[in-house]
Amino acid sequence: MNDAARPPLDFYFDFISPFGYFAALRIDAIAARHGRRAEWHAMLLGVSVMKVMGLKPVLETPLKGPYLTREAARYARRHGIETKRPFDGPAMNPLPAARAFHWVRRHHPERHRAVGAALLDAYWRQGVDLEAPDTIAAIAAEHGADRSGCRAACESAEGRALLRAAVAASLARGVFGSPYVIADDEPFWGVAALETLDAWLATGGW
Amino acid sequence: MNDAARPPLDFYFDFISPFGYFAALRIDAIAARHGRRAEWHAMLLGVSVMKVMGLKPVLETPLKGPYLTREAARYARRHGIETKRPFDGPAMNPLPAARAFHWVRRHHPERHRAVGAALLDAYWRQGVDLEAPDTIAAIAAEHGADRSGCRAACESAEGRALLRAAVAASLARGVFGSPYVIADDEPFWGVAALETLDAWLATGGW
């Protein structure tokens, strides 16, 4: 089959996850390098980690929380990524942004990557308050989405239902972290696994 | 200073961890490539993960347990590592082997890497029952350690005290996972971080 017909890579991220942000900066290039495209999915670590896995938030986990904060800063330095948002929290409430994102995916599917990337850029690189629906809608509108529809989706029944369905679908596929990529049913968790994903796609797997 | 005087890389692993085993197969070569040596330390995930971090064992964690089992198998295939020990458990009791290992580190320091590697090889590649002190002592003796001293250390007050001190020291340095490497105070967690460690040592860090 030709490239356009090949199934997309499914890329899962949480807006509150710096490693999800780092992966978002690379996933489309990795996909394109192998003649693929990426479908982006906002997920919720609060559901997968706390409710399904029964763990506490990673930033509140002794030893691991401080390690991951340090690793995020190290990754950012290595890759020349400058951010205004501290990696050690506190994390925002990701629900309005995640609802708006999934509303864009439904109603402007061709814009969903650009809107997702712009929301992550605003939160992480620019340090913008991304809990405010007006801000979310303005950013989405800059990237071709309907501003009032997007604004409403941050709190509406439709926005809630779209996000709830997306999170349920992610859990049904086993997604528990951010970033998480599924390529042809093969899962890759974490930003370091992007190298493995790249090799997997290049070789056809092993 | 010359290479011999440079501080060692501290390599931490738990005998029950397949990723610790995978890292053990590479750590000495990585260290040597940068004119360094590795000091091996057996640690206990049961203490760091359960008692300090307050988490459940990873194999009992929904979503993450199955993922890591699959990732271990994928890593092994990629690197041509054949094992007789299933990656999805059940895990053995690592205490006798860890006590004997630290007894060797104390009394035959020049043999500790070879004994650690041989114990991991027996458990993972050969599928040997590594809870039996006689087995542990026989393997250690093959690599130059005193058999009866090693046998006794699996259960003795000295063996217990050496392991307790080693685990406390690992926690004091923030070690929580297996593998975990500390190079010049910089921590690297997980087998994927070995690539980062290699780049860090090659460049002097960033």
Side-chain angles (χ1 to χ4, degrees):
Chain A
M1 69 188 118
N2 63 37
D3 288 344
R6 297 177 75 184
L9 312 183
D10 286 302
F11 165 56
Y12 297 85
F13 67 98
D14 188 329
F15 284 104
I16 68 169
S17 160
F19 296 104
Y21 167 57
F22 299 155
L25 296 173
R26 297 169 57 189
I27 189 65
D28 287 331
I30 292 172
R33 180 149 64 236
H34 303 288
R36 306 287 284 262
R37 63 188 171 79
E39 190 74 15
W40 292 31
H41 308 264
M43 51 78 78
L44 296 175
L45 291 169
V47 177
S48 65
V49 171
M50 287 190 271
K51 294 190 181 171
V52 177
M53 299 161 81
L55 307 179
K56 67 189 91 176
V58 72
L59 287 178
E60 296 170 21
T61 303
L63 306 182
K64 194 173 192 174
Y67 176 86
L68 291 180
T69 296
R70 181 173 181 159
E71 196 196 20
R74 182 168 72 194
Y75 182 99
R77 286 198 310 276
R78 185 180 192 185
H79 293 269
I81 298 166
E82 295 189 3
T83 57
K84 287 191 177 162
R85 175 76 50 190
F87 296 126
D88 59 352
M92 69 163 175
N93 170 10
L95 295 176
R99 291 173 189 146
F101 172 80
H102 281 289
W103 186 88
V104 171
R105 258 196 92 211
R106 168 64 58 92
H107 295 283
H108 305 281
E110 76 289 357
R111 309 305 305 154
H112 87 283
R113 277 177 291 271
V115 170
L119 293 172
L120 284 163
D121 181 84
Y123 183 68
W124 287 104
R125 188 178 64 80
Q126 301 177 52
V128 166
D129 171 8
L130 206 65
E131 293 187 8
D134 287 340
T135 304
I136 294 166
I139 294 167
E142 284 171 22
H143 293 272
D146 178 72
R147 182 189 296 246
S148 63
C150 214
R151 168 72 182 74
C154 291
E155 295 163 342
S156 71
E158 184 192 7
R160 291 168 195 266
L162 286 169
L163 177 58
R164 199 176 301 119
V167 169
S170 73
L171 291 169
R173 297 197 73 188
V175 173
F176 61 86
S178 167
Y180 198 102
V181 179
I182 301 179
D184 309 325
D185 293 328
E186 188 70 22
F188 300 86
W189 168 51
V191 75
L194 292 180
E195 318 295 346
T196 311
L197 166 68
D198 203 20
W200 183 273
L201 293 172
T203 62
W206 53 80
Chain B
M1 70 188 121
N2 62 38
D3 286 345
R6 298 177 75 183
L9 311 185
D10 286 303
F11 164 57
Y12 298 85
F13 66 97
D14 188 329
F15 284 104
I16 68 170
S17 160
F19 296 103
Y21 168 57
F22 299 154
L25 297 172
R26 296 169 58 189
I27 190 65
D28 288 331
I30 292 172
R33 182 150 64 235
H34 303 288
R36 306 287 285 263
R37 63 187 172 78
E39 189 75 13
W40 292 31
H41 308 263
M43 52 77 79
L44 297 175
L45 290 169
V47 177
S48 66
V49 171
M50 286 190 272
K51 294 191 182 173
V52 177
M53 298 162 81
L55 307 179
K56 67 190 90 175
V58 72
L59 287 179
E60 296 170 22
T61 303
L63 307 183
K64 195 174 191 174
Y67 176 87
L68 291 180
T69 296
R70 182 173 182 159
E71 196 196 20
R74 181 168 71 194
Y75 182 99
R77 287 198 310 276
R78 184 179 191 184
H79 294 269
I81 299 167
E82 294 189 4
T83 57
K84 287 190 178 166
R85 175 76 51 188
F87 297 126
D88 59 352
M92 69 164 175
N93 170 10
L95 294 176
R99 290 172 189 147
F101 172 81
H102 281 290
W103 187 89
V104 171
R105 259 196 91 212
R106 168 64 58 91
H107 295 283
H108 306 281
E110 76 289 358
R111 308 304 305 154
H112 88 283
R113 276 176 291 270
V115 170
L119 292 172
L120 284 163
D121 181 84
Y123 183 68
W124 287 105
R125 189 177 64 81
Q126 302 177 52
V128 166
D129 172 8
L130 206 64
E131 293 188 8
D134 287 339
T135 305
I136 293 166
I139 294 167
E142 284 172 23
H143 293 273
D146 178 71
R147 182 189 297 248
S148 64
C150 214
R151 169 71 181 76
C154 292
E155 295 162 342
S156 71
E158 185 192 8
R160 291 168 193 266
L162 286 169
L163 177 58
R164 199 176 301 119
V167 169
S170 73
L171 291 169
R173 296 197 75 189
V175 174
F176 61 87
S178 168
Y180 198 102
V181 179
I182 301 179
D184 310 325
D185 294 327
E186 189 70 23
F188 299 86
W189 168 51
V191 76
L194 292 180
E195 318 296 346
T196 310
L197 166 68
D198 202 20
W200 183 272
L201 293 172
T203 61
W206 53 81

